[in-house]
Amino acid sequence: MEKQQVPVILSGGGARGFAHVGILQALEERQIQPSAISATSAGAMIGALIADGYTAAEVKEMVLKNIKLVDLLDFRRINGHLISLHKIGQFLKSQLRASTFEQLKLPFYVSAVNYHTGEPKIFQEGPIVEAVLAASSIPTLFEPTLIEGIPYVDGAVHSNVPSGPFEAQIEQVVACHVNPTGPYNPKSSVFHSIDRAIHLSFLERNRQVQGRCRWFIEPYALHPYGMFEVHKLPEIYAAGYQGAVEFLDQMAPSNT
């Protein structure tokens, strides 16, 4: 099979973001590699490692070996916010070989939002980890990340499928979205209900990207998993991988 390089978008999604690793593994097996990555939130965490030259298999092993929920999320109240991203930052700094965007193997674009103005911000130069944490700071749950005195929050506030860096080549883009909308369950936990409400608000913008990109991979089997269910990472990976395999099998006859 001929090797292809394509621009890839990785959405946010909390723990579901680990499904990106499964999706990328399925793409690698079809000789499809990212030529550049645009990402936000959890997708930016995975994207940073891939852009640093790790394979999907290496990222899978690294994460499952080193990360547990208690090691990642600090549930102290900090300035009125529930969770700190400090430990996630420590993990990324310990694993990334590059410290700046300029040192990465692939062009990498990280989308966050200026919490003062509401304007989107795409980071593509300077320190990587600070930008990834900024793009992952869900308002009210995580404290905003300060960069040069400006507070930044999760890029999904503006777009959970950040296509901006690839607009000139959008028809070539493979967009990976890990937040499918499943059936409503009135018995869901508060966290699940908040999670659902947040992602319902993204639907229209996601559909706009879906209608213009080459492929929009959204494994439906991910819908039962919550954004904090880190203890289910192996299942989330499997759902992402299997969903991508099924999608690619459907696309195989035309390879479009």
Side-chain angles (χ1 to χ4, degrees):
M1 185 178 295
E2 184 178 351
K3 186 175 180 179
Q4 302 179 54
Q5 291 188 314
V6 297
V8 171
I9 298 173
L10 304 178
S11 75
R16 288 188 301 271
F18 194 57
H20 287 309
V21 184
I23 296 171
L24 290 167
Q25 178 64 39
L27 290 169
E28 284 183 18
E29 291 173 1
R30 305 297 177 98
Q31 299 297 306
I32 301 171
Q33 301 278 352
S35 60
I37 298 172
S38 174
T40 193
S41 202
M45 298 178 193
I46 300 302
L49 295 166
I50 297 296
D52 196 34
Y54 289 106
T55 66
E58 289 171 335
V59 174
K60 177 188 177 185
E61 181 181 5
M62 177 194 309
V63 172
L64 293 181
K65 180 180 178 181
N66 290 286
I67 298 184
K68 297 179 181 179
L69 180 60
V70 68
D71 296 326
L72 277 179
L73 302 179
D74 186 346
F75 282 85
R76 295 173 300 168
R77 284 196 172 272
I78 300 177
N79 296 326
H81 299 275
L82 180 61
I83 308 169
S84 168
L85 290 170
H86 176 68
K87 292 180 180 178
I88 293 179
Q90 287 182 319
F91 169 77
L92 289 173
K93 287 180 179 178
S94 72
Q95 301 299 322
L96 287 170
R97 295 165 291 204
S99 59
T100 67
F101 283 83
E102 292 84 354
Q103 296 168 338
L104 291 169
K105 305 293 186 183
L106 296 176
F108 184 43
Y109 306 94
V110 174
S111 295
V113 170
N114 183 318
Y115 209 27
H116 278 317
T117 67
E119 292 295 316
K121 169 69 175 179
I122 297 175
F123 292 97
Q124 55 187 304
E125 58 185 21
I128 301 164
V129 172
E130 288 78 1
V132 170
L133 296 183
S136 306
S137 300
I138 303 171
T140 72
L141 291 180
F142 298 93
E143 57 181 336
T145 297
L146 286 175
I147 298 178
E148 296 182 352
I150 299 173
Y152 290 97
V153 295
D154 198 315
V157 170
H158 177 258
S159 176
N160 201 29
V161 186
S163 60
F166 300 147
E167 283 301 318
Q169 50 187 327
I170 191 67
E171 71 282 351
Q172 303 172 27
V173 166
V174 173
C176 306
H177 184 251
V178 295
N179 309 290
T181 304
Y184 169 62
N185 179 1
K187 297 182 180 180
S188 295
S189 69
V190 172
F191 271 131
H192 272 281
S193 296
I194 293 172
D195 189 7
R196 181 180 180 83
I198 289 171
H199 288 96
L200 283 174
S201 72
F202 302 153
L203 277 180
E204 183 54 37
R205 189 179 290 271
N206 293 347
R207 286 170 181 153
Q208 291 173 12
V209 176
Q210 183 175 7
R212 296 183 298 123
C213 67
R214 178 187 180 186
W215 291 339
F216 191 90
I217 302 177
E218 184 187 61
Y220 183 72
L222 290 169
H223 78 82
Y225 298 102
M227 65 168 60
F228 293 111
E229 293 186 315
V230 180
H231 60 289
K232 295 183 179 179
L233 288 187
E235 297 173 36
I236 289 169
Y237 170 90
Y241 175 78
Q242 188 58 41
V245 166
E246 293 170 1
F247 177 91
L248 293 169
D249 283 345
Q250 293 176 355
M251 296 295 106
S254 61
N255 195 32
T256 58

